[in-house]
């Protein structure tokens, strides 16, 4: 035998810690030869541990090298493992505390052994979020521990029992992944994912970490995890807390029916970006954002979510009540007159009395295509609905007068839906009622000095960022928000969210990720803004844009990892180079490569993600 073969045949001891034996247990020593493969090592360790369990999710972690040994057919020799190696047999999926854009924290199992890109894909599959490539994980801001608040433990929703996501498309039941549909409590948890949360208290907004300048905004981007390395390689431990956020602001193929969770979480991220002033907006825009939040508020208490149940009830529900009607066009001096009204499908009929409702109605009015407007004074207890109904001779004006708020909310909601050709059976009916009630509640908020606000009233300071909380008293804000609300009151839940996202995406600094950099040959720090289609050079002292470079004119970019410098070449012999001050240059490299990857998605016909291309564009010198 040759000497190398003799060495390979010689047996030696390898120490392997087994997580399952507990933290205090000493490592197990097993006798191995250098040509034993990794799968064989695991087999020996499992036998020696004498624990009966499913070991299929376990793998070896090499402590000193901080790397996983995931190729079971590789030999110890090929991996470069000698007797001094400290190995640990540990599960690849471990619990993680994950804060979503909505601020809710879940405890779930995530993959600690595959690249973060794939771990995020698994998390998104579990939560039913399509296009996981748009999201990533980042470390939370170090919270300064206040003595008083040490005991306040945030609420955790534990879904670690969920089966590990497989490569197949998740099975859906009632519009949600099968796991969530299993029990009432998991279904409630899914609703929290798919329904926007109620407006936060102003104190909550005030307590949250807020960036006050562009440098602080730049520091946020230093906390992104590296997409091409695993969680364990980046120092993430079991039960650590991470944040899941949309990182790349190019939202591909949004379909409200299939994207309940994705759209809701995107709205929540947008709302917090506005409330915490991460994205700058004008006063007018802030009032519209506030009005849209009112329109969306209270939907959590209604059982509605964007996940519209496909089972429409076979018989549509009806409304009937005594209401008063007034028709200004009729040449009569009489005011409102009371009749018995019924609302079926999209048609209102009225009769002399309830008893006569089995006979022919006095009149029937189809509300399809009509205009509906509120004529309300909460203080004056006037709850009227103004209808403009298209007829052969033009528009007929009709006023319906309701007795009280509850009646008005139901009938107004029904009229609004009917004007769009929808019936009372439509899934948005209850959220429409809620939205009208919150509108009335806002009118009720009397600016009395000390009285606590009633439950149903809306705290206007919850709807605007701290800057406007300081600038205006609630009684000044209420009429302005109400005025903006009149223009959006007609919107359905889905439309209101879409409108919020459209206005957010149109803001000048929407989706900009900032990094403080030092350009080659310059003496002072500047800011690089990274958007989905361009890079922006910003003067740090005045905040002005100095120069813009578009990705579609980029010829190549590369990183000199030794001196940590990014160099980019654009058309027309334009070359730039910079080193990064606030974030690792890997993060900038990943942002640019990631956006270029996002722009290739439309061209790929299949639904499968080209993960290899993503790593090629973002992975740097140690890409997979």
């Amino acid at each position: 035998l040759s000497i190398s073969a003799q060495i390979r045949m010689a047996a030696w001891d390898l120490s392997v810690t087994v997580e399952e034996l507990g933290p205090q247990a000493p490592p197990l020593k097993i006798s191995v030869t250098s040509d034993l493969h990794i799968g064989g090592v695991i087999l020996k360790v499992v036998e020696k541990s004498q624990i009966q369990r499913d070991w299929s999710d376990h793998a070896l972690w090499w402590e000193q090298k901080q790397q996983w040994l995931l190729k079971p057919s590789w030999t110890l020799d090929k991996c470069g493992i000698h007797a001094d190696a400290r190995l640990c047999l540990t599960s690849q999926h471990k619990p993680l505390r994950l804060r979503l854009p909505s601020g809710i924290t879940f405890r779930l199992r995530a993959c600690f052994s595959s690249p973060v890109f794939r771990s995020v894909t698994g998390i998104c599959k579990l939560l039913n979020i399509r296009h996981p490539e748009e999201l990533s994980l980042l470390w939370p801001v170090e919270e300064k521990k206040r003595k008083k608040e040490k005991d306040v433990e945030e609420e955790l929703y534990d879904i670690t029992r969920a089966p590990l996501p497989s490569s197949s498309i998740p099975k859906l039941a009632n519009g949600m992944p099968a796991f969530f549909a299993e029990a009432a409590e998991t279904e409630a948890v899914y609703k929290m994912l798919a329904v926007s949360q109620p407006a936060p208290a102003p104190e909550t907004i005030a307590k949250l970490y807020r960036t006050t300048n562009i440098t602080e905004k730049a520091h946020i981007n230093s906390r992104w995890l590296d997409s091409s390395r695993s969680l364990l390689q980046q120092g993430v431990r079991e039960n650590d807390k991470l944040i899941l956020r949309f990182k790349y602001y190019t939202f591909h193929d949004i379909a409200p029916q299939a994207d309940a969770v994705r759209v809701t979480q995107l709205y929540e991220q947008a709302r917090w970006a506005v409330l915490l002033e991460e994205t700058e907006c004008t006063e007018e825009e802030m009032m519209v954002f506030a009005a849209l939040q009112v329109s969306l508020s209270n939907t959590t208490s209604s059982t509605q979510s964007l996940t519209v149940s496909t089972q429409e009830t076979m018989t549509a529900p009806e409304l009937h009540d005594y209401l008063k009607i007034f028709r200004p066009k009729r040449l009569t001096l009489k005011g409102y007159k009371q009749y018995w009204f019924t609302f079926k499908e999209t048609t209102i009929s009225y009769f002399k009395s309830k008893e006569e409702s089995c006979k022919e109605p006095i009149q029937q009015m189809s509300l399809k295509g009509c205009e509906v407007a509120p004529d309300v004074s909460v203080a004056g207890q006037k709850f009227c609905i103004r209808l403009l109904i298209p007829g052969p001779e033009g528009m007929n004006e009709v006023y319906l007068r309701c007795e009280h708020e509850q009646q008005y909310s139901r009938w107004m909601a029904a009229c609004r839906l009917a004007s769009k050709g929808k019936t009372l059976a439509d899934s948005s009916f209850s959220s429409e009622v809620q939205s009208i009630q919150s509108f009335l509640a806002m009118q009720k908020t009397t600016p009395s000095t000390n009285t606590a606000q009633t439950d149903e009233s809306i705290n206007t300071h919850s709807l605007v960022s701290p800057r406007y909380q300081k600038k205006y008293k609630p009684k000044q804000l209420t009429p302005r928000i109400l005025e903006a609300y009149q223009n959006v009151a007609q919107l359905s839940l889905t439309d209101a969210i879409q409108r919020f996202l459209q206005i957010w995406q149109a803001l000048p600094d929407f989706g900009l990720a900032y990094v403080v950099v030092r350009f080659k040959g310059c003496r002072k720090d500047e800011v690089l803004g990274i958007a989905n289609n361009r890079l922006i050079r910003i003067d740090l002292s005045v905040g002005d844009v100095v120069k813009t470079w578009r990705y579609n004119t980029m010829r190549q970019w590369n990183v000199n990892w030794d001196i940590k410098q990014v160099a980019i070449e654009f058309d027309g012999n334009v070359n730039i180079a910079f080193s990064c001050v606030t974030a690792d240059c890997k993060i900038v490299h990943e942002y640019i490569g990631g956006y270029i990857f996002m722009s290739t998605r439309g061209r790929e016909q299949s639904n499968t993600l080209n993960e290899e291309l993503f790593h090629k564009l973002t992975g740097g010198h140690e890409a997979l």
Side-chain angles (χ1 to χ4, degrees):
L1 284 176
S2 68
I3 291 173
S4 60
Q6 284 172 354
I7 292 170
R8 275 208 308 276
M9 297 298 287
W12 45 277
D13 282 351
L14 181 63
S15 293
V16 181
T17 312
V18 180
E19 209 173 50
E20 258 57 30
L21 292 171
Q24 258 47 64
L28 299 180
K29 279 204 165 27
I30 56 164
S31 176
V32 298
T33 53
S34 295
D35 58 358
L36 181 64
H37 48 77
I38 297 297
V41 173
I42 294 177
L43 215 60
K44 282 192 162 208
V45 174
V46 166
E47 277 170 11
K48 190 152 188 187
S49 76
Q50 295 183 332
I51 299 175
Q52 296 295 315
R53 59 156 299 156
D54 176 3
W55 292 93
S56 59
D57 188 46
H58 282 61
L60 289 172
W61 167 253
W62 188 355
E63 194 76 35
Q64 296 106 311
K65 286 279 175 80
Q66 291 286 294
Q67 70 185 46
W68 287 91
L69 304 172
L70 296 174
K71 295 197 165 71
S73 59
W74 279 30
T75 61
L76 292 172
D77 191 30
K78 189 168 182 181
C79 293
I81 288 174
H82 305 295
D84 61 348
R86 290 195 304 276
L87 303 184
C88 176
L89 183 64
T90 178
S91 56
Q92 297 180 62
H93 287 81
K94 299 173 188 294
L96 196 62
R97 288 179 301 147
L98 196 66
R99 193 164 89 228
L100 269 59
S102 57
I104 296 173
T105 304
F106 280 83
R107 188 163 173 267
L108 46 76
R109 281 190 299 165
C111 185
F112 275 60
S113 62
S114 54
V116 162
F117 184 86
R118 208 174 304 156
S119 300
V120 171
T121 304
I123 290 167
C124 288
K125 200 168 265 183
L126 171 65
L127 302 177
N128 198 17
I129 298 175
R130 294 192 319 138
H131 296 292
E133 68 278 7
E134 294 165 357
L135 299 98
S136 194
L137 299 171
L138 69 165
W139 290 103
V141 178
E142 289 299 312
E143 289 156 17
K144 293 186 178 64
K145 284 271 184 283
R146 297 195 195 94
K147 276 184 189 158
K148 263 186 270 178
E149 289 173 20
K150 230 181 2 211
D151 308 323
V152 183
E153 192 48 54
E154 63 175 347
E155 197 154 357
L156 269 184
Y157 296 92
D158 196 318
I159 51 170
T160 45
R161 288 194 338 279
L164 297 178
S166 62
S167 54
S168 59
I169 290 162
K171 278 211 296 283
L172 295 184
N174 294 345
M176 63 186 84
F179 162 75
F180 287 105
E182 280 168 12
E185 57 266 35
T186 45
E187 199 163 316
V189 168
Y190 187 77
K191 288 255 167 68
M192 296 183 75
L193 284 168
V195 181
S196 60
Q197 296 303 298
E203 308 80 73
T204 308
I205 301 173
K207 261 190 214 155
L208 287 170
Y209 174 75
R210 220 165 63 246
T211 53
T212 51
N213 57 44
I214 205 162
T215 314
E216 284 182 12
K217 285 181 183 175
H219 274 286
I220 287 178
N221 291 311
S222 64
R223 304 201 318 268
W224 288 108
L225 269 76
D226 185 333
S227 293
S228 42
R229 292 162 68 220
S230 70
L231 290 173
L232 204 55
Q233 277 177 303
Q234 298 182 67
V236 181
R237 294 291 172 256
E238 194 170 308
N239 282 319
D240 273 354
K241 188 173 177 181
L242 293 176
I243 298 172
L244 179 72
R245 273 188 82 147
F246 288 89
K247 176 178 182 178
Y248 297 103
Y249 287 76
T250 47
F251 313 118
H252 187 56
D253 168 38
I254 286 185
Q257 287 287 335
D259 282 330
V261 179
R262 182 177 172 219
V263 169
T264 303
Q265 295 304 320
L266 189 52
Y267 160 71
E268 290 285 351
Q269 186 161 322
R271 170 166 74 161
W272 282 108
V274 169
L275 288 178
L276 297 176
E277 296 170 7
E278 282 171 26
T279 317
E280 299 287 323
C281 66
T282 65
E283 201 163 305
E284 281 65 38
E285 286 160 344
M286 184 59 83
M287 296 309 143
V288 177
F289 282 135
L292 285 162
Q293 287 178 75
V294 174
S295 171
L296 284 158
S297 68
N298 285 347
T299 42
T300 17
S301 51
S302 105
T303 52
Q304 245 347 288
S305 77
L306 288 167
T307 38
V308 179
S309 169
T310 46
Q311 302 159 319
E312 283 272 76
T313 22
M314 297 316 285
T315 53
E318 303 168 10
L319 279 178
H320 13 245
D321 246 328
Y322 277 109
L323 302 175
K324 292 178 175 162
I325 187 168
F326 170 56
R327 318 189 61 140
K329 276 280 173 69
R330 298 268 165 100
L331 295 168
T332 165
L333 295 170
K334 283 184 186 158
Y336 283 92
K337 203 161 177 220
Q338 184 166 294
Y339 293 100
W340 177 255
F341 281 78
T342 65
F343 202 128
K344 270 188 194 173
E345 298 290 332
T346 56
T347 303
I348 287 184
S349 314
Y350 60 95
F351 309 83
K352 216 170 190 159
S353 66
K354 186 177 181 177
E355 291 68 41
E356 306 237 323
S357 60
C358 49
K359 300 178 184 171
E360 280 295 298
I362 298 170
Q363 197 196 359
Q364 270 191 331
M365 300 176 281
S366 167
L367 298 193
K368 266 189 189 168
C370 77
E371 285 178 29
V372 187
D375 181 16
V376 174
S377 159
V378 178
Q381 285 297 294
K382 171 182 161 196
F383 302 103
C384 295
I385 300 166
R386 177 175 174 255
L387 300 170
L388 281 172
I389 303 168
E393 293 92 46
M395 296 297 240
N396 298 318
E397 192 175 20
V398 177
Y399 283 83
L400 300 180
R401 184 162 197 160
C402 302
E403 279 297 302
H404 47 74
E405 277 180 45
Q406 279 70 22
Q407 192 184 51
Y408 167 79
S409 303
R410 287 195 301 272
W411 283 80
M412 182 65 169
C415 291
R416 278 190 191 162
L417 289 180
S419 70
K420 300 178 208 158
K422 296 176 179 177
T423 70
L424 295 170
D426 190 85
S427 55
S428 58
F429 177 67
S430 51
S431 56
E432 194 68 63
V433 173
Q434 291 284 351
S435 141
I436 292 161
Q437 286 175 340
S438 46
F439 174 58
L440 297 173
M442 279 187 78
Q443 287 206 339
K444 247 189 287 191
T445 50
T446 45
S448 57
T449 43
N450 282 331
T451 53
Q453 287 189 304
T454 54
D455 281 347
E456 71 251 19
S457 74
I458 281 192
N459 194 336
T460 46
H461 271 177
S462 297
L463 306 168
V464 296
S465 67
R467 181 186 310 174
Y468 300 107
Q469 294 176 16
K470 285 196 193 87
K471 192 172 176 183
Y472 297 109
K473 294 190 171 76
K475 65 178 177 191
Q476 297 169 303
L477 277 175
T478 304
R480 295 197 54 190
I481 296 173
L482 278 173
E483 191 185 331
Y485 180 76
Q486 296 284 1
N487 300 322
V488 297
Q490 294 279 335
L491 297 177
S492 70
L493 177 69
T494 316
D495 292 345
I497 283 187
Q498 297 281 40
R499 177 74 58 87
F500 194 102
L501 294 175
Q502 279 162 1
I503 300 169
W504 176 56
Q505 289 179 40
L507 297 174
D509 61 349
F510 156 78
L512 275 179
Y514 300 106
V515 181
V516 177
V517 297
R518 177 74 64 95
F519 277 92
K520 192 176 176 181
C522 292
R523 288 221 170 132
K524 59 177 184 165
D525 288 350
E526 290 172 80
V527 172
L528 185 72
I530 307 168
N532 65 349
N533 56 358
R534 66 198 189 283
L535 296 174
I536 303 160
R537 184 175 185 169
I538 300 165
D539 184 312
L540 192 52
S541 48
V542 275
D544 290 351
V545 172
V546 181
K547 190 102 183 76
T548 299
W549 301 280
R550 299 204 159 263
Y551 296 151
N552 57 11
T553 65
M554 193 190 285
R555 290 199 152 179
Q556 62 164 335
W557 84 100
N558 55 58
V559 180
N560 181 330
W561 299 103
D562 299 326
I563 58 168
K564 297 206 180 304
Q565 189 181 66
V566 182
I568 310 174
E569 185 189 327
F570 295 95
D571 288 348
N573 282 338
V574 177
N575 292 297
I576 62 169
F578 53 83
S579 54
C580 304
V581 179
T582 50
D584 194 295
C585 57
K586 169 71 171 76
I587 287 172
V588 175
H589 175 56
E590 194 174 300
Y591 254 123
I592 297 171
Y595 273 128
I596 289 168
F597 173 77
M598 300 298 149
S599 68
T600 66
R601 287 182 301 177
R603 285 178 248 148
E604 299 227 345
Q605 290 314 304
S606 67
N607 269 338
T608 51
L609 264 184
N610 188 340
E611 192 183 331
E612 201 182 328
L613 178 64
F614 179 85
H615 288 304
K616 214 177 201 168
L617 288 166
T618 62
H621 57 111
E622 47 182 46
L624 295 181

